[in-house]
Amino acid sequence: MTVIPDPAKKVPMMFRAQINGRCQIQRLVPGAPEQDATRWADEWVDKAYPNLPELSSEVQTRTYTLTWRFITNSGQDDGVIRPAIGARGWPFYPGSSMKGIFRRACTKEQAELYCGKSLPGGDWQPGILRFHGGYPTDTAWTENLVDIVHPQQNWQVKTGNRDSGAFIQISLYKPELRFGISSNQDVDWQIIWSIWEKALSTGIGCRVCAGYGQPQQHTGNILYRGQIKGQGQAAKLIDGTGEFRANVFRAALRGHALRIFGGLTNAETADRIVNHLFGSVQGKGNIGLLGMSFRDSDLEMGTFGRGSYAQPTYEIEGELFWLLAGKLANSQHEEVLKKLVADLTRFAMLLGGFGKSWRRADHRLFYEEYSDNDYKPLIGCHWQWLGERSLMRDVQVRKLEQVSEFIDKVQQTAQEWMQLQGITPNPQQKASWREAWHPNTVQVWGRQASEKEDSEAIFWLHGPYQEAISRVKPEGSIYRSSITGQMGRIGRLWHRMYPLVRLVRDPKNPNKPIPKSTPGYLELLTLFPDDSHESTQFLDFLNSQQNRPKGFQQLWPRSPS
């Protein structure tokens, strides 16, 4: 009899238990020659049939493209998020899930007709529609299946401690899906597909609030839209390739919401407010009020650096949407929610950016000598508003004096939202987080730069901000201190070069202002001081420079007059 050595290792990963030593798709093992998830996905794709499952000719179908990734949790493997797999090994969106979101988009009468209703005595009358789910239209779904998620909330905002690492899930990248519906009666298919498109616009599958499962078009649930463009360091997938990940916008706004509310109330209440807005897995979990979608119109992936410093990069343009994903307790609260999400988006654009290294201005633009050497890390990102509509509406700061007014406005909107939720703002009981937004914990300084080469503070991130003069003053430096941070340690300083956009008269209509981009920038420093010597010395330096030509002015909180 032939003995098969290590027979358990011959079993395909898909059929192994999700335990250590057998298969753990969600686990990312640093330095491993091959991740379980990679082998799992390769084995799946290899055995899947090459042709799309065919639906009956009686089934009506329509095709839709999703803006980014799409995932459905099959629920078949403990602790793992991976797609449901249907006929011929193809991933699919289940008909039962399709029916569920379709029902929610119906009126009561439509839901009973199309989806069924309960009868006296506990019986059930079926609806006239059958939902056949959604399948990819081609084999493009087999690419880029392994998806990495990095929880960052505590690390970025609260304590600066890493309490969780990256984990893996399996999702489809920008799939085109064909959905099928059939009926046992004659129906108006235009009405049915309009209901489905209304349902689809809320997002399908898992993690829709983070930008997953979002269609190209949305109907009726848009709270905010803005056109932007940016560049920076792209996220790396397991195979080392880069990907622009649309969930960076949600991560940024959730973080800023925590900062703002953390400066207005205690930590527990701030967490509860933000969980209500963005959703949470704490306790029983909840679906947040806000969903997000980003539709890119131009995306170029590239690389920066050489050797061990090589990193993937992106340049992107597109439209950012914030959507009403949950049900408001009172429909009259929607206007304040619109103001809140718009203000948080503008706050993120004014003081930082999105994605990796968002606390720094892009050194490729503002410190060209630094990036002349290919053997240096890529630092920073750069984002700006795009298109006349956003340049008019979203640019709320056009001069230094407006920075403080805008920050006050953001806090005021946050307080309005709290009061609608029955919560009284109490800044005296602020959260003890490192970056809670409160006059006692944060300062914003700024100056106007005439052009991109006119940045002052970017050099202070790599060298002294003042040279030592023997027996007169010591050298001043924040390089590799608690202020600037270092590898594995979040700093306390944000540096932003915010493009200066003026309003000028329209020659065709003198009574109508139009936006005009300029070569200038507002150079902004956001500082969360600690009790270190470097922090005290740096603040003394900033104060001493306020009346000098290139000095920074304290913008928020306003200095006592």
Side-chain angles (χ1 to χ4, degrees):
M1 183 177 68
T2 302
V3 178
I4 301 175
D6 297 322
K9 294 183 179 180
K10 305 297 190 293
V11 177
M13 302 294 279
M14 185 175 289
F15 301 105
R16 298 189 191 183
Q18 291 295 320
I19 60 174
N20 191 27
R22 295 291 181 87
C23 178
Q24 288 189 296
I25 302 175
Q26 85 287 1
R27 186 181 177 194
L28 178 64
V29 182
E34 183 181 46
Q35 303 292 337
D36 284 0
T38 303
R39 181 176 168 188
W40 188 98
D42 289 344
E43 290 177 346
W44 172 27
V45 168
D46 183 58
K47 298 302 180 183
Y49 282 55
N51 299 320
L52 172 70
E54 294 296 330
L55 294 171
S56 165
S57 59
E58 297 178 355
V59 178
Q60 300 286 320
T61 65
R62 283 201 181 178
T63 300
Y64 302 88
T65 300
L66 303 186
T67 59
W68 182 46
R69 287 189 173 272
F70 165 64
I71 185 170
T72 55
N73 189 0
S74 69
Q76 294 177 337
D77 290 312
D78 184 41
V80 173
I81 299 177
R82 59 91 160 171
I85 300 175
R88 300 176 183 269
W90 282 53
F92 76 112
Y93 183 63
S96 57
S97 300
M98 191 177 176
K99 180 179 180 179
I101 67 167
F102 184 93
R103 175 184 281 275
R104 289 200 296 272
C106 290
T107 64
K108 183 176 183 294
E109 293 76 16
Q110 288 172 332
E112 291 181 349
L113 173 64
Y114 296 138
C115 303
K117 62 180 179 179
S118 58
L119 299 175
D123 204 355
W124 180 264
Q125 176 179 305
I128 64 173
L129 297 183
R130 300 291 177 271
F131 297 86
H132 300 264
Y135 282 88
T137 59
D138 56 36
T139 57
W141 68 266
T142 62
E143 303 294 329
N144 300 319
L145 288 168
V146 181
D147 183 10
I148 303 180
V149 182
H150 295 269
Q152 293 280 307
Q153 181 170 291
N154 289 347
W155 166 246
Q156 293 275 359
V157 179
K158 296 182 178 180
T159 63
N161 298 322
R162 290 188 186 272
D163 55 4
S164 60
F167 63 90
I168 300 173
Q169 60 190 15
I170 307 295
S171 63
L172 310 188
Y173 183 74
K174 292 186 176 181
E176 182 182 72
L177 302 176
R178 180 177 296 123
F179 296 91
I181 306 175
S182 63
S183 174
N184 59 17
Q185 297 181 20
D186 289 336
V187 294
D188 188 334
W189 284 104
Q190 185 174 349
I191 293 175
I192 289 171
W193 286 116
S194 68
I195 295 172
W196 170 245
E197 288 172 2
K198 179 182 176 183
L200 183 64
S201 70
T202 63
I204 58 173
C206 307
R207 303 177 63 84
V208 295
C209 60
Y212 286 73
Q214 295 291 344
Q216 292 281 357
Q217 302 296 328
H218 294 88
T219 59
N221 63 335
I222 297 174
L223 296 172
Y224 167 87
R225 63 194 301 172
Q227 198 171 355
I228 56 179
K229 72 174 181 178
Q231 64 178 53
Q233 181 180 337
K236 271 188 181 180
L237 299 178
I238 286 180
D239 62 2
T241 59
E243 176 182 294
F244 177 79
R245 298 180 63 80
N247 56 359
V248 296
F249 302 110
R250 179 179 181 271
L253 256 68
R254 185 182 184 111
H256 288 315
L258 279 169
R259 293 178 180 93
I260 296 296
F261 287 112
L264 297 173
T265 186
N266 61 69
E268 181 182 353
T269 305
D271 269 328
R272 190 169 72 248
I273 294 169
V274 173
N275 288 343
H276 179 53
L277 288 169
F278 292 91
S280 170
V281 295
Q282 296 177 4
K284 295 182 179 179
N286 70 286
I287 298 174
L289 293 175
L290 297 175
M292 184 278 300
S293 177
F294 182 73
R295 186 170 63 212
D296 62 82
S297 55
D298 186 21
L299 172 60
E300 292 185 19
M301 303 299 297
T303 58
F304 175 88
R306 294 185 182 182
S308 62
Y309 291 103
Q311 295 292 335
T313 62
Y314 64 83
E315 292 185 26
I316 194 166
E317 296 181 6
E319 196 163 16
L320 175 64
F321 296 84
W322 284 98
L323 314 164
L324 182 60
K327 188 174 182 180
L328 289 166
N330 186 327
S331 60
Q332 295 180 352
H333 296 178
E334 185 171 328
E335 286 306 309
V336 177
L337 184 59
K338 286 180 177 179
K339 282 172 54 180
L340 178 64
V341 73
D343 281 351
L344 288 172
T345 305
R346 295 162 185 161
F347 182 89
M349 286 286 284
L350 176 67
L351 297 176
F354 305 101
K356 285 177 173 285
S357 200
W358 65 265
R359 287 174 166 81
R360 296 288 182 265
D362 195 321
H363 282 43
R364 294 171 297 175
L365 289 175
F366 305 106
Y367 191 178
E368 292 183 3
E369 307 95 273
Y370 175 89
S371 57
D372 283 345
N373 185 345
D374 287 342
Y375 293 96
K376 285 186 176 180
L378 173 58
I379 298 177
C381 65
H382 183 70
W383 289 86
Q384 61 190 71
W385 300 107
L386 189 65
E388 184 172 343
R389 184 170 180 266
S390 280
L391 290 173
M392 280 291 295
R393 183 194 62 174
D394 290 309
V395 178
Q396 305 241 318
V397 174
R398 303 183 190 277
K399 53 186 178 181
L400 285 176
E401 294 78 11
Q402 294 176 328
V403 171
S404 182
E405 297 171 10
F406 173 72
I407 294 173
D408 289 342
K409 176 176 176 287
V410 176
Q411 287 193 310
Q412 181 59 42
T413 303
Q415 291 183 66
E416 287 180 43
W417 178 253
M418 293 173 69
Q419 289 162 348
L420 289 178
Q421 309 310 304
I423 300 169
T424 302
N426 186 2
Q428 279 67 44
Q429 298 293 322
K430 70 175 183 66
S432 59
W433 304 331
R434 182 188 67 249
E435 294 190 354
W437 198 272
H438 187 276
N440 293 345
T441 56
V442 62
Q443 297 180 17
V444 179
W445 295 72
R447 61 179 288 271
Q448 185 170 324
S450 59
E451 57 183 357
K452 65 181 182 180
E453 291 83 7
D454 189 29
S455 173
E456 286 284 303
I458 201 163
F459 302 102
W460 303 344
L461 304 175
H462 305 278
Y465 52 81
Q466 69 178 13
E467 300 293 340
I469 299 178
S470 180
R471 298 183 180 181
V472 177
K473 65 179 179 182
E475 178 187 79
S477 177
I478 54 176
Y479 178 58
R480 288 189 175 176
S481 69
S482 62
I483 301 300
T484 53
Q486 50 189 295
M487 185 66 69
R489 183 181 183 185
I490 292 286
R492 293 176 170 269
L493 182 72
W494 308 350
H495 176 234
R496 171 74 160 124
M497 296 291 284
Y498 186 69
L500 194 57
V501 178
R502 301 290 193 193
L503 292 178
V504 299
R505 287 185 178 181
D506 184 348
K508 299 178 181 177
N509 184 357
N511 296 321
K512 177 187 174 184
I514 57 173
K516 179 179 175 59
S517 297
T518 76
Y521 295 84
L522 299 183
E523 184 171 18
L524 302 173
L525 295 175
T526 302
L527 177 64
F528 297 86
D530 60 7
D531 57 2
S532 67
H533 173 70
E534 292 92 349
S535 180
T536 302
Q537 190 180 26
F538 184 53
L539 284 175
D540 289 343
F541 167 76
L542 290 176
N543 274 297
S544 71
Q545 301 296 304
Q546 288 204 70
N547 297 320
R548 299 194 177 184
K550 290 197 172 186
F552 282 81
Q553 304 172 40
Q554 184 174 340
L555 306 176
W556 197 94
R558 295 181 180 91
S559 300
S561 56

